[in-house]
Structures are given as structure tokens and as C-alpha cells.
């Protein structure tokens, strides 16, 4: 086993410029872990929050940044059942909560947070989708209460058509929300710019509303006369009242973005219409919830051609620059994938 590896790491929380790239000792394989050669690692917006300290979570120092990887198992701890050297795996829950990060040539992955990846699946495509697809699955089905894989016929016969409203349907998480909700048989209304409307419609949205129009909310309400079962804003920038306007009685509003934002809470509309607002961050998902989401992720990777809209592959030396781009909101919907 090699003794040293190249990695992108920090000595303490700080700005993007604090990220260093150099050789560091390879991690030591502990009980219940897999020693994995990293093929590709994603750079997620949450990585910038962890690195800067805005998202308070325990991390070991020196700390290797990043949380999502695709790789190949090179060694297995004796008690890490279900895997063998040569297996391709992925993980999307390292780099926080006391766990070391992954933007390096090698990583140790807890076996209960590793999932198999079929040989035919491209590593870059896979790692670029891990966070959006798992987030969308958990937001819709675990927290939003959407019934998965319901056919349109079943919904019609039961008289309980599910309607999902996605504010920001063209982004990474937004496009995954639209695709998974549509696949589940829901009627999906999404907002996007006029230039992105055809893309979002192609993912399965029944209607796409231009969020730049002055009457976008009124348009959504007209399109959902029965009200939305689930409403999700992927930007966290438009508050809660829009979702209340669109929600049906006993509808659910899932909050998964808007770090640092504050909005007034219209309590009356919540309790008189039995509406639930639930906060959700994938970082707090349990091992069981992540495993359930992994089933959806692997099915989409193998059975569909769904892909991130824009992917840029970079090297370890580019990680600080990418963090800075994301923090300055210059990345748009580009997914950055590091090839160590």
C-alpha cells in the first residue's frame, strides 16, 4: 500500500485561498472501512460552507475537502462485509460530521456509506449526479411524502393526483427534482428562465413558468387549482409565502436551501390549512435514508441517460479556484469534478 498521496486540504477553516495541494499521508484503514482509489470527486456548494466554517460541523485537521467520490476498492477491513478489492463504489457523505474528505488520490470509506457502481457507468457522470439525485430523492419521498413510482393511471383512479412545484427547475438539484417527481407520476410545475424552459419540459415538467415574469406566482396558482402536494425552492431566495399560496390543504413545503436567509413565517396559513414546513439537509440524513436514496441513484445511472447539464473536469490544483467560483456565484449550474 502506498504511503503518500496528493490531496487538496486545509489546516484550519478559512477562505478558498487556504486550500493547499500537496502530498499527505494516505489514510489508515480502520474497522468497517474500505480503502478506495479515487477516480473522481465532486465539488459541492456545501463543501465551501464546511471549509469556511459557515456550516458548523466537526472535521479533523488537516482536513481534506470534499464529500462525494467514485472509486475502486483496493483493500477491505475484515469486518467490512459486502465488498472486495476491485469493486467500483461511490459515497456521498464524507467530509463532515467528523469524517475525513475525499478530494485526494485515496480515501477510506465506511462500508455502510459505500454503494456499488456498475462497471459500465462513467465515473464523471456518476459523481456529478450523486448529490443532486440523492438530495432530490430524500426531499421528495422522505421529507415531501411523495409516493414513488405511482403511475398516472393509479393517481387518476384514486382521485389523488400528486402535484409538485419546483422553484428553480433548471439547476442541478432542480432538474433532478423535476425528473424524479415526473417519473413518480406526479404533475410537475417548475420555474425556470425562458431560455431553459424547453430543457425543463424535456425532463418531464407539465408546465414551465418564467420566474422573471412579474406574475410568475399567479401563473403557478392558476396552473395548480387543486394546490400543490409538495413545493420546493432550490435557491432559498424567494421565501415561504409563494409556496403557501400554491399549496393544497395538508401540502408539504420542503426547505433545502437558503443558508443565512430569514423570512417572516405566516403562521395563520399554516395551521388553518394543516400545511407542513420541513427543513432538510442531506448532511443530516441517516445511513438508512442514504441507502434508500442510493437505490434511486444507481437505478437512474444504469437505466436512464439522465446527466448533469454542464460538467467541468479539473485537477487538484484547481480546487481553490472552483471553491471561489462557487462562493462568488460564478459557477451557474456547472458541476465541477476533480480527477486526482
Amino acid at each position: 500500500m502506498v504511503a503518500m498521496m496528493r490531496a487538496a486540504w486545509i489546516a484550519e477553516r478559512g477562505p478558498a485561498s487556504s486550500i493547499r495541494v500537496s502530498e499527505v499521508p494516505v489514510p489508515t484503514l480502520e474497522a468497517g472501512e474500505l480503502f478506495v482509489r479515487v477516480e473522481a470527486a465532486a465539488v459541492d456548494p456545501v463543501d465551501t460552507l464546511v471549509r469556511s466554517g459557515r456550516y458548523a460541523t466537526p472535521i479533523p485537521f488537516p482536513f481534506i475537502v470534499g464529500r462525494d467520490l467514485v472509486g475502486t476498492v483496493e483493500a477491505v477491513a475484515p469486518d467490512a462485509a459486502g465488498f472486495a478489492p476491485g469493486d467500483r463504489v461511490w459515497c456521498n457523505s464524507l467530509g463532515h460530521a467528523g469524517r475525513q474528505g475525499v478530494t485526494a488520490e485515496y480515501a477510506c470509506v465506511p462500508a455502510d456509506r459505500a454503494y456499488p457502481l456498475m462497471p459500465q457507468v462513467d465515473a464523471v457522470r456518476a459523481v456529478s449526479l450523486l448529490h443532486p439525485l440523492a438530495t432530490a430523492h430524500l426531499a421528495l419521498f422522505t421529507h415531501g411524502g411523495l409516493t414513488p413510482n405511482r403511475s398516472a393511471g393509479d393517481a387518476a383512479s384514486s382521485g389523488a393526483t400528486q402535484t409538485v412545484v419546483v422553484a428553480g427547475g433548471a439547476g442541478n438539484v432542480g432538474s433532478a427534482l423535476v425528473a424524479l417527481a415526473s417519473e413518480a407520476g406526479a404533475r410537475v410545475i417548475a420555474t425556470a428562465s425562458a431560455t431553459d424552459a424547453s430543457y425543463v419540459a424535456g425532463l418531464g415538467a407539465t408546465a414551465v413558468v418564467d420566474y422573471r415574469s412579474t406574475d410568475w406566482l399567479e401563473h403557478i396558482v392558476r396552473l395548480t387549482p387543486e394546490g400543490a402536494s409538495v413545493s420546493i425552492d432550490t435557491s432559498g431566495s424567494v421565501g415561504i409565502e409563494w409556496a403557501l399560496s400554491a399549496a393544497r390543504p395538508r401540502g408539504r413545503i420542503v426547505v433545502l436551501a437558503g443558508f443565512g436567509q430569514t423570512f417572516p413565517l405566516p403562521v395563520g396559513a399554516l395551521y388553518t390549512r394543516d400545511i407542513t414546513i420541513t427543513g432538510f439537509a442531506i448532511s443530516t440524513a441517516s445511513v438508512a435514508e442514504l441507502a434508500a436514496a442510493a437505490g434511486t441513484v444507481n437505478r437512474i445511472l444504469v437505466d436512464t441517460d439522465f446527466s448533469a447539464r454542464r460538467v467541468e473536469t479539473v485537477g487538484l490544483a484547481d480546487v481553490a479556484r472552483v471553491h471561489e467560483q462557487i462562493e462568488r456565484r460564478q459557477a451557474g449550474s456547472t458541476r465541477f469534478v476533480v480527477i486526482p
Side-chain angles (χ1 to χ4, degrees):
M1 189 176 294
V2 295
M4 301 292 287
M5 66 178 184
R6 281 175 54 78
W9 59 280
I10 56 174
E12 59 185 5
R13 293 177 175 89
S17 59
S18 67
I19 296 175
R20 310 178 190 181
V21 176
S22 68
E23 286 201 338
V24 299
V26 298
T28 301
L29 185 64
E30 304 286 351
E33 291 184 337
L34 314 174
F35 184 75
V36 175
R37 177 177 57 79
V38 178
E39 297 178 41
V43 182
D44 296 320
V46 70
D47 297 341
T48 70
L49 300 176
V50 172
R51 185 218 72 238
S52 68
R54 292 184 66 202
Y55 175 51
T57 183
I59 53 176
F61 291 104
F63 174 67
I64 297 170
V65 297
R67 57 191 291 145
D68 302 350
L69 69 80
V70 164
T72 302
V73 176
E74 294 208 343
V76 180
D79 58 346
F83 296 95
D87 289 348
R88 295 184 80 214
V89 296
W90 61 270
C91 177
N92 64 338
S93 58
L94 299 184
H96 67 99
R99 294 184 289 275
Q100 188 58 271
V102 303
T103 312
E105 293 177 304
Y106 298 93
C108 284
V109 180
D112 62 354
R113 293 176 180 273
Y115 313 105
L117 184 68
M118 295 299 288
Q120 70 270 29
V121 178
D122 176 71
V124 171
R125 172 176 173 251
V127 82
S128 69
L129 290 176
L130 300 182
H131 179 76
L133 283 174
T135 298
H137 171 96
L138 293 168
L140 289 169
F141 305 122
T142 304
H143 297 278
L146 196 67
T147 304
N149 300 321
R150 170 186 279 177
S151 71
D154 288 342
S157 64
S158 69
T161 302
Q162 301 172 109
T163 300
V164 175
V165 177
V166 178
N172 291 303
V173 172
S175 61
L177 286 164
V178 172
L180 292 187
S182 175
E183 183 193 50
R187 181 171 178 264
V188 182
I189 310 299
T191 69
S193 68
T195 55
D196 287 329
S198 60
Y199 168 70
V200 177
L203 297 171
T206 305
V208 182
V209 176
D210 187 349
Y211 68 83
R212 294 173 179 169
S213 63
T214 57
D215 63 343
W216 66 271
L217 178 54
E218 291 83 354
H219 196 176
I220 288 176
V221 172
R222 288 195 299 271
L223 289 167
T224 55
E226 77 289 356
S229 314
V230 186
S231 300
I232 305 174
D233 169 30
T234 63
S235 71
S237 62
V238 293
I240 295 296
E241 292 201 36
W242 76 272
L244 284 171
S245 299
R248 67 176 53 170
R250 298 199 173 184
R252 294 195 180 196
I253 299 169
V254 181
V255 179
L256 53 71
F259 195 92
Q261 297 276 10
T262 57
F263 299 103
L265 186 64
V267 175
L270 293 175
Y271 81 82
T272 59
R273 294 166 59 201
D274 289 354
I275 293 172
T276 299
I277 299 178
T278 180
F280 157 58
I282 195 170
S283 297
T284 63
S286 68
V287 171
E289 289 169 339
L290 290 170
T296 294
V297 173
N298 276 338
R299 178 175 54 78
I300 296 297
L301 289 174
V302 172
D303 295 342
T304 79
D305 60 359
F306 182 74
S307 298
R309 197 173 181 189
R310 286 180 285 271
V311 177
E312 181 181 334
T313 57
V314 300
L316 288 170
D318 300 302
V319 173
R321 187 258 304 171
V322 169
H323 271 235
E324 189 171 358
Q325 275 188 255
I326 292 172
E327 287 179 311
R328 291 184 176 182
R329 298 184 178 275
Q330 296 173 338
S333 59
T334 299
R335 291 289 284 157
F336 294 98
V337 173
V338 182
I339 308 297

